[in-house]
Amino acid sequence: MNHAADEYRVIVTRKPVRNARMRVMPDGTVRITAPKGGFDTTAFVAEKTDWIAARQAEMNRMAAGCTTPADQMLLLGTGYTVREGDSCHTDHHQHVIIAPNPAALRAHLTADFRTLITASVTARAEEMGVSYGRCSIRMQKTRWGGSCSSAGNLNMNLRLYALPIHLRDYVVVHELAHRKELNHSPAFWSEVAAYYPAYRNAEADLRRYWVAIERNHWWSALQEQNRGER
């Protein structure tokens, strides 16, 4: 890879920092936080070419087996074809989603997912002997879910709809376990293991799917729309 800047997108942000930092994103984009002034980002990228290639290869390995064709949306662990239509509808047998525009698509997916996640949370909460308040659906960029200890409210990422059912179930167990243990102490993981013994495998699979979702055209489009509304 001799011409790094020609082979992947490089995004540079200038900040009052002493040293430059570089990250390779799941979609292959290289993000650089560089000092203000005359710092040579082109040379910085050239010096890191091998490291960038290794990180991108790692991302490819992580996403292997959970990606979809470029024109399909990852949903419930498989690819769904998105088609334009006058109203919203999801055909889970034919793996087709119909929506008139991205805004309507997101609203439809949110309503659809709310029903699924509410049923899952209700069942698991009863099994685990915990209570919860509201269950909100959000488009979150950095985490699958979150809980509020004081009121017992749960925030679930709409991206969970992309996951196979067993991984969504794990996230539910994980968040509800925080109703008993507020941190990630050994006691917390013991609570998780009691209701989801294969949690270590689930954690690894979630990292793989996060990369796949970041690379998926439709989820990226919904994320951009969500960012534009803020």
Side-chain angles (χ1 to χ4, degrees), residues 39-53:
F39 183 84
D40 189 345
T41 57
T42 300
F44 187 49
V45 171
E47 291 172 3
K48 298 289 187 179
T49 296
D50 291 342
W51 180 83
I52 293 170

Side-chain angles (χ1 to χ4, degrees), residues 103-145:
L105 173 62
R106 195 180 83 182
H108 170 65
L109 291 175
T110 300
D112 219 13
F113 181 63
R114 189 183 306 280
T115 300
L116 295 176
I117 197 67
T118 299
S120 181
V121 168
T122 300
R124 279 298 200 173
E126 182 177 354
E127 180 185 358
M128 296 170 68
V130 297
S131 62
Y132 68 96
R134 296 188 307 274
C135 184
S136 301
I137 312 300
R138 299 180 179 178
M139 179 70 79
Q140 299 177 124
K141 180 65 175 175
T142 60
R143 59 193 305 183
W144 293 110

Side-chain angles (χ1 to χ4, degrees), residues 170 193 196-203:
Y170 165 67
Y196 202 103
Y199 72 89
R200 288 188 177 89
N201 291 337
E203 285 283 334

